[in-house]
Amino acid sequence: LKKVRHESPMLSLDKTKEVTALESFLGNNKGILSYKMDGLTVVLTYKNGELSQAVTRGNGEIGEDITHNAKFFKNIPLKISFKGELVIRGEAIITYSDFNRINEELPEMDAKYKNPRNLCSGSVRQLNNKITKERNVNFFAFALVSADNVDFKNSRKCQFEWLKSQGFDVVEYKVVDKDNIIDTIGWFERAISDNDFPSDGLVIIYDDIAYG
């Protein structure tokens, strides 16, 4: 697979297990709380309304070109109404139900995949896109990097809503502040047991783009 350098480095998230740290992080600001999807991070670029490139995160600075496979993701729009250049980041994932089905279909002599993340990584990085198509890979956008001449009113929530209007599935999220963040984390904690998609935590970002 061809190596591609990202326009801006994809840095790692800071981590905490203390809910009170998130209250402190927010201060008097609003935040966007969402699932941290457990798959393979992919960067998509659209030009003139069409998908032009898909690149894996790789080491954060250099990823692999998987455009030939991304076109066969189950829920990715190949064409959008926006005609400027759009760059978004998201997570490619395989659901638990598809993971179990695929593992059951593998011949006994083949090694079974340990988890959906490993299966997704192997599926997305195939040279043969027929295999990718059969694996039912889904894409959930979690960050808008750039969109030519679109006013998002300095709001991440506005970006998410705009991405939905273009036909993208975005990661499930809720708007939080220091008063409701603990209750909202509890909601995610209860909901996760019923989810068919793998996640390994929560992510919080500021809604205010400039402040963030």
Side-chain angles (χ1 to χ4, degrees):
L1 296 170
K2 188 176 76 172
K3 306 292 185 185
V4 178
R5 182 173 291 277
H6 296 296
E7 287 186 23
S8 58
M10 301 184 67
L11 307 177
S12 298
L13 295 166
D14 197 5
K15 297 176 184 176
T16 183
K17 293 188 176 181
E18 300 296 327
V19 175
T20 52
L22 300 186
E23 291 178 289
S24 174
F25 171 81
L26 276 179
N28 293 318
N29 300 285
K30 287 186 176 180
I32 304 292
L33 188 67
S34 64
Y35 285 114
K36 180 177 178 291
M37 311 289 270
D38 191 20
L40 188 72
T41 300
V42 175
V43 184
L44 302 181
T45 301
Y46 285 77
K47 294 180 179 179
N48 197 31
E50 296 187 0
L51 177 66
S52 67
Q53 189 176 62
V55 181
T56 64
R57 179 182 186 274
N59 64 7
E61 294 187 1
I62 298 174
E64 294 176 316
D65 191 320
I66 56 157
T67 311
H68 64 296
N69 285 335
K71 291 178 179 180
F72 291 92
F73 287 4
K74 186 177 177 182
N75 64 335
I76 218 168
L78 297 181
K79 293 188 177 184
I80 58 176
S81 59
F82 178 65
K83 301 305 179 187
E85 181 171 295
L86 169 67
V87 181
I88 62 174
R89 294 172 180 171
E91 200 80 354
I93 63 106
I94 288 178
T95 63
Y96 285 119
S97 50
D98 279 326
F99 167 73
N100 292 329
R101 173 185 60 80
I102 292 165
N103 253 354
E104 287 173 5
E105 291 172 353
L106 288 173
E108 285 300 319
M109 69 282 296
D110 287 2
K112 306 287 185 182
Y113 287 93
K114 288 184 178 179
N115 53 56
R117 181 181 187 179
N118 288 358
L119 174 60
C120 185
S121 179
S123 302
V124 167
R125 298 176 65 253
Q126 290 285 334
L127 295 179
N128 181 358
N129 54 29
K130 183 175 181 288
I131 296 175
T132 304
K133 184 178 182 180
E134 292 171 350
R135 297 280 173 87
N136 279 352
V137 178
N138 286 268
F139 176 86
F140 290 91
F142 60 66
L144 191 153
V145 179
S146 61
D148 289 344
N149 302 316
V150 181
D151 179 12
F152 295 111
K153 302 178 178 63
N154 195 38
S155 168
R156 294 288 183 196
K157 181 177 184 289
C158 183
Q159 288 183 335
F160 277 170
E161 294 301 319
W162 183 83
L163 285 173
K164 288 181 187 176
S165 76
Q166 294 294 316
F168 295 98
D169 287 331
V170 303
V171 63
E172 187 169 10
Y173 70 91
K174 290 186 177 292
V175 178
V176 293
D177 56 31
K178 64 183 180 183
D179 296 323
N180 72 352
I181 185 168
I182 293 178
D183 288 343
T184 308
I185 288 172
W187 181 89
F188 277 103
E189 198 171 15
R190 292 186 296 274
I192 196 171
S193 59
D194 295 324
N195 288 343
D196 195 24
F197 57 82
S199 55
D200 58 346
L202 298 172
V203 176
I204 190 166
I205 57 175
Y206 295 114
D207 182 52
D208 186 316
I209 297 170
Y211 184 84

